[in-house]
Amino acid sequence: MAPTKKTKPSSSSSSMTLKRVKGENFYRDAKAAARLKMLNGGKAVRDKDGKIIKAAAFQKGEDETKPGRVQPDRRWFGNTRVISQTALDHFRTSLAEKKDDPYSVLLKRNKLPMALLDDAANPHTRKRPHIVETEPFGETFGPKAQRKRPRIEVGTFEELSKAASSALEEVEENAAKSAIAGVIEPLASDVVEAPTHADYHEPIYAKGTSRRIYGELYKVIDSSDVILHILDARDPLGTMCESVLEYIKKEKSHKQVVLVINKCDLVPNWVTARYIQHLTPRYPTIAFHASPNHSFGKGTLIQLLRQFAQLHSDKKQISVGFMGYPNVGKSSVINTLKSGKVCTVAPVPGETKVWKYITLTKRIYLIDCPGIVPASANDNETAIVLKGVVRVEALPTPSDHIATLMERVKPIYLSRTYNVPLPNPDDPSESWDPEDLLDKLARMKGRLLKHGEPDREAIAKIMLSDWVRGRIPFFVVPPVRSEELNAAEEKKKKLADIKGKSKAVEEPELVPMKQNLKTVMQKNTFVPEDIQPLDEPSEDGEESDSEADGASEDEAVSAEEEDEEDDLKWGDVFEGVSVPAEPSDSGDSGENEAAAGGDEDVSDEEEEVTVKEKRVTTNKKKAENFYSKANVKNKNRQKAALLRSLPVGKRTDRKKK
């Protein structure tokens, strides 16, 4: 038998058939093709003589080894910002003043070379001194130079070294003479004073200065477009964070700062007006009273924030950050603006722990911030307590601060608040001794310790808490403005008005807000010595004059109307309506007819003079429903009267009978 070939069973891979698709590579994908091209395409293409026509991949030919040259075309530098010297000088002079002006807003600061305005911040100007800025060019260089040489008594370096050595010998001789006399004066840097109890500060007096609090503050500043600095009306200059304002002016100059004097109901109106007049040249200043029912300044502040929102029209919304000392009322101002309790408030410092976002409108967001104590304050422990930074309940020795409190407050106010008679009724300025006042109040309020000793610490805490909550009348007298400053401001204002009439101002400016401080509801009662007439600016006077003029015009108009009313007649009001004549006897009929004929003639004349205009009609059909035709509340009175006038059969028959 012929040998038969054994057929091996085909494997699964050979039995599988791949479906070929038209237009696609059946054998390899793009990665495999690129690898195959790299392996096979590494040789150079040569002609029949062996010269390289096309260089191999990753190999340079003769042309590529030659040095390349860039075409000297100006288009290479088209994307840079080039400014001429005259334009730069104009930019500096026009925007240098506007940059530091708190009432003008520079828009699109990122597109302006703001670094050119500040030479100190420009790294290119730090390397060389500007001699021309200190001295004029003509007096520094050239034939008319007036630079003076320093006066040195020596002519060579050897003489200078000898003079220095002789001065050193004199110092050593003086030190030897003092040592012989037994007097040794050590250097101030070598003296180390021993620490005492006065050098120890309680940790509670460092509230508001921690790294966590300042981290919250910097987050609020970085996230805000406008910053509201809340001040206490009793001491606005003492509760101002100067170091933070300097930081904002130097590092965040594009952010706007507004001062808000809160708690203006605790001080007289003239004090608030004087502080506004004093602080307005630095920043826009607004008086405010945070209250859920009787607030003041709410509309003014919201209007100012809307101005900022309109100025920053390139942004979808703006953020307004709040900053200030603890217990000045930052959260209370936010609750007043929102007309609801959106932030937790308390009459004690440290209630706000972290920053918080609040939506005022679709375009204005508010950011609450915990209170901070700036490092530039340099206050002692008593000043820190009286500013309301520390919680009174946690003070170790509150009675130590009562003496300073009594120095700041007039005795008459303490006598009114606690119903304590003055020590000398003839001299109201004479005050008590701090310990005597604490003893009297302790016995009046029943705060006694064992064996009947007065609890001075408890009474001191009560007085300090009343001080923080504003129950004791107090305010720092505002500084008096000099006449020279007022004259300079008036002159500057007149020049600005003249420039404004001649040339329009291109930079957008904030509209100054006017507030009527007379409407502030005062919480405390002050003695006549502390009350002064409210200073009314000239603009308010002009407004009052204009109001008076308007009132006089209204009075004149009303007088004219009264004269016209006196001349009115029956026919002027009721046109075409004649008084019906009463029926009379036949004798008077002729007279009545003649009178009627006369009236008809008069009415005809009136009709000829005053012709009633035709009423305008439209094709629009009025909507009708059930109540339009139904007799509801005597709507169809004519129809009802007609039905009443119709005779009824049975009743008429009865009446006839």
Side-chain angles (χ1 to χ4, degrees), residues 450-622:
K450 290 183 179 180
H451 308 291
E453 292 293 330
D455 191 357
R456 296 176 180 174
E457 302 297 331
I459 293 298
K461 289 183 179 180
I462 292 174
M463 292 185 67
L464 290 175
S465 63
D466 292 342
W467 167 274
V468 171
R469 294 166 190 255
R471 295 171 183 167
I472 301 176
F474 161 76
F475 63 89
V476 177
V477 180
V480 180
R481 291 169 59 88
S482 61
E483 296 181 358
E484 298 177 357
L485 182 60
N486 293 334
E489 286 187 0
E490 289 180 1
K491 186 177 180 181
K492 186 177 180 181
K493 185 178 179 181
K494 290 180 181 178
L495 292 175
D497 294 340
I498 294 172
K499 291 181 180 178
K501 291 179 181 178
S502 61
K503 185 179 180 180
V505 182
E506 296 180 359
E507 292 81 4
E509 294 185 356
L510 298 176
V511 179
M513 299 296 176
K514 299 177 183 178
Q515 293 180 294
N516 187 11
L517 296 176
K518 295 180 180 179
T519 60
V520 180
M521 299 181 63
Q522 298 296 325
K523 182 179 179 181
N524 296 327
T525 305
F526 294 89
V527 295
E529 300 175 0
D530 295 338
I531 298 176
Q532 297 183 11
L534 189 63
D535 297 336
E536 295 184 358
S538 59
E539 296 177 356
D540 296 346
E542 293 175 0
E543 288 183 2
S544 61
D545 295 340
S546 63
E547 291 177 359
D549 296 339
S552 62
E553 291 177 0
D554 295 339
E555 292 176 359
V557 171
S558 61
E560 292 176 359
E561 290 176 357
E562 290 177 359
D563 295 338
E564 290 176 0
E565 289 177 0
D566 295 339
D567 298 334
L568 287 177
K569 298 178 181 179
W570 177 271
D572 296 338
V573 180
F574 303 101
E575 296 180 356
V577 179
S578 59
V579 181
E582 297 180 357
S584 59
D585 299 338
S586 61
D588 299 330
S589 61
E591 297 178 358
N592 293 336
E593 289 174 359
D599 292 338
E600 289 176 359
D601 297 337
V602 172
S603 61
D604 294 340
E605 292 178 358
E606 291 179 354
E607 288 178 359
E608 291 176 0
V609 174
T610 58
V611 180
K612 191 174 181 181
E613 296 181 358
K614 196 173 183 179
R615 189 174 181 180
V616 179
T617 56
T618 58
N619 296 329
K620 187 175 180 181
K621 189 177 181 181
K622 294 183 179 180

Side-chain angles (χ1 to χ4, degrees), residues 123-140:
H124 300 289
T125 58
R126 295 179 186 174
K127 299 178 182 179
R128 59 186 185 277
H130 292 273
I131 303 175
V132 182
E133 291 183 0
T134 57
E135 299 179 9
F137 183 85
E139 297 179 2
T140 307

Side-chain angles (χ1 to χ4, degrees), residues 170-336:
E170 290 180 2
V171 173
E172 291 178 354
E173 289 177 2
N174 294 333
K177 289 179 182 179
S178 61
I180 294 171
V183 179
I184 301 175
E185 295 182 359
L187 297 175
S189 59
D190 297 337
V191 178
V192 179
E193 297 180 357
T196 60
H197 177 70
D199 297 331
Y200 176 73
H201 294 280
E202 294 284 345
I204 191 174
Y205 296 109
K207 294 293 184 181
T209 60
S210 62
R211 185 175 296 178
R212 184 191 70 82
I213 294 293
Y214 269 83
E216 299 290 327
L217 171 67
Y218 289 130
K219 285 193 291 186
V220 171
I221 292 176
D222 293 340
S223 304
S224 304
D225 300 309
V226 182
I227 298 172
L228 298 184
H229 190 357
I230 312 298
L231 306 176
D232 194 337
R234 294 172 289 181
D235 188 11
L237 300 180
T239 54
M240 187 177 294
C241 305
E242 293 289 350
S243 59
V244 181
L245 292 177
E246 289 295 329
Y247 166 77
I248 294 173
K249 186 176 181 180
K250 184 179 179 181
E251 303 293 338
K252 310 287 183 181
S253 58
H254 59 282
K255 298 182 184 295
Q256 301 295 320
V257 179
V258 178
L259 302 181
V260 179
I261 301 179
N262 192 21
K263 303 181 181 180
C264 61
D265 60 318
L266 301 180
V267 298
N269 294 334
W270 69 271
V271 176
T272 307
R274 193 75 61 82
Y275 272 117
I276 291 175
Q277 188 181 12
H278 178 73
L279 296 173
T280 296
R282 292 186 60 185
Y283 298 102
T285 309
I286 292 176
F288 199 87
H289 168 40
S291 174
N293 299 323
H294 306 287
S295 61
F296 177 80
K298 177 180 176 181
T300 305
L301 186 55
I302 292 177
Q303 186 179 358
L304 182 62
L305 296 181
R306 285 177 177 171
Q307 285 190 40
F308 282 115
Q310 291 178 359
L311 291 176
H312 296 279
S313 58
D314 55 334
K315 299 181 180 180
K316 291 184 178 180
Q317 64 273 342
I318 63 169
S319 300
V320 182
F322 288 72
M323 58 168 271
Y325 266 76
N327 200 31
V328 294
K330 298 181 290 297
S331 302
S332 301
V333 173
I334 294 177
N335 288 344
T336 304

Side-chain angles (χ1 to χ4, degrees), residues 99 120 209 301 345 354:
K99 185 190 70 167
T209 60
L301 186 55
V345 294
V354 294

Side-chain angles (χ1 to χ4, degrees), residues 22 70 167 241 332 425 441 626:
K22 186 178 181 181
V70 178
C241 305
S332 301
L441 292 178
F626 171 76

